Amino acid sequence: MSKAVKSDYDRLPPTGRVTLVGAGPGAADLLTLRGQAVLSKADVVIYDDLVNTDLLKHCPAGATRIYVGKRAGMHCMPQEQIGEILVREARKNLRVVRLKGGDPLIFGRGGEEMQTLTAAGIPYEIVPGVTAALAAGAAAEIPLTHRGAASAVVFVTGHECANKSDQTAVDWAALARTGATLCIYMGVRRLPEIARALGEGGLAHDTPLAVVANATLPQQSVHLATLESAEAVSERLRGQPALIIVGDVVRWRELSQAARPMAATA
Ligand code: SAH
């Protein structure tokens, strides 16, 4: 007797699938175990700039590696083209891994890829990753929601797309009033402007901030400033991936380091 077909899914021809995997912030051992397991079975891996290429060691030797990175101001591959590659490879009945820096759904355009795959009828899954804000907090020893100092944390982009509608434009003055710790992605270039807007919105000019560049990588560096002294840091770090943390919680780094005479300074 032939094996019963259990569902429509069993009747469909074998089909490729895509897994969007968060690669974490940089250090290769900050990939999740689930991400590693998915990579170890990949036929094709499609990866970006901020992905540590050491992670590709987890793929089978014969896996195809496709680089689709884009650096700020130097777009080497439009998002639509990345979507086309995902669909094209999955339609070859392959196991496709889309490896993205940090978490795929935090400023990672994972949403667009979900839409593209849905439209093409390709099944997908998402494996979360350690996003840069959390890595930066840990790297700089800044407790993002320290009790008594902040009861909320905001992930916000400092780099507005030219075509964003007003609805998604960042209202820095409103954020200044929340008292939340602000974790600003892609904000180094516009930091002086952002600091001014936060000051105008009511944040004290001596509100501390930390800029953590290359968090979790050997070249990691932590730079402390205040809203009014932010400009110099911005100039120094331009072009490096860096996460800006604004808020009173930044003082806890100074306090904990002062209490440890041997603590390393960045
Ligand atoms: N999806 C990613 C974010 C992509 S946007 C995530 O979840 O982390 C790219 C921005 O992330 C960079 O401009 C920078 O602000 C931040 N970033 C990524 N990796 C970083 C790192 N190792 N250290 C500091 N900031 C980082």
Side-chain angles (χ1 to χ4, degrees):
M1 204 172 116
S2 70
K3 210 171 142 213
V5 173
K6 290 191 220 80
S7 66
D8 282 351
Y9 197 77
D10 289 342
R11 259 185 249 125
L12 295 170
T15 175
R17 53 173 55 241
V18 176
T19 311
L20 307 184
V21 175
D29 56 354
L30 283 172
L31 175 72
T32 64
L33 292 175
R34 188 180 296 185
Q36 181 177 342
V38 171
L39 274 177
S40 73
K41 297 198 188 89
D43 298 308
V44 184
V45 184
I46 298 164
Y47 65 100
D48 285 331
D49 274 325
L50 288 176
V51 165
N52 185 336
T53 48
D54 282 352
L55 296 181
L56 301 177
K57 287 185 202 140
H58 297 301
C59 308
T64 307
R65 295 152 168 78
I66 304 177
Y67 170 75
V68 293
K70 40 184 190 259
R71 296 207 175 270
M74 196 170 72
H75 293 267
C76 58
M77 193 173 293
Q79 187 61 39
E80 303 74 57
Q81 208 175 327
I82 296 174
E84 282 164 22
I85 295 173
L86 290 176
V87 171
R88 182 191 74 206
E89 296 300 316
R91 288 207 168 128
K92 294 180 193 164
N93 290 335
L94 298 174
R95 278 166 299 197
V96 179
V97 172
R98 173 69 173 112
L99 190 58
K100 299 168 81 78
D103 181 88
L105 303 185
I106 299 291
F107 302 121
R109 308 198 69 173
E112 278 114 308
E113 293 174 7
M114 287 160 62
Q115 279 177 316
T116 304
L117 294 167
T118 302
I122 292 166
Y124 64 83
E125 278 174 83
I126 299 162
V127 177
V130 177
T131 192
L134 306 186
E141 299 183 16
I142 295 169
L144 299 180
T145 58
H146 193 67
R147 200 174 156 87
S151 38
V153 58
V154 172
F155 294 171
V156 57
T157 172
H159 167 85
E160 286 289 82
C161 291
N163 61 359
K164 272 201 176 165
S165 65
D166 286 341
Q167 217 186 347
T168 57
V170 176
D171 183 343
W172 295 101
L175 290 181
R177 288 191 294 273
T178 61
T181 300
L182 304 180
C183 293
I184 308 172
Y185 290 70
M186 298 172 278
V188 171
R189 200 159 50 87
R190 288 190 53 211
L191 180 56
E193 218 177 299
I194 293 167
R196 248 190 321 276
L198 290 171
E200 284 163 16
L203 270 193
H205 294 286
D206 63 353
T207 301
L209 64 87
V211 185
V212 185
N214 299 293
T216 78
L217 291 166
Q219 67 272 33
Q220 169 181 302
S221 60
V222 181
H223 310 259
L224 300 178
T226 62
L227 286 189
E228 58 190 350
S229 67
E231 191 152 355
V233 182
S234 163
E235 276 167 23
R236 218 175 325 144
L237 294 178
R238 207 157 281 192
Q240 297 186 43
L243 197 288
I244 304 160
I245 302 174
V246 182
D248 284 334
V249 294
V250 172
R251 295 188 212 282
W252 264 263
R253 171 186 167 85
E254 295 162 71
L255 292 178
S256 69
Q257 301 243 324
R260 276 193 302 167
M262 299 304 288
T265 48

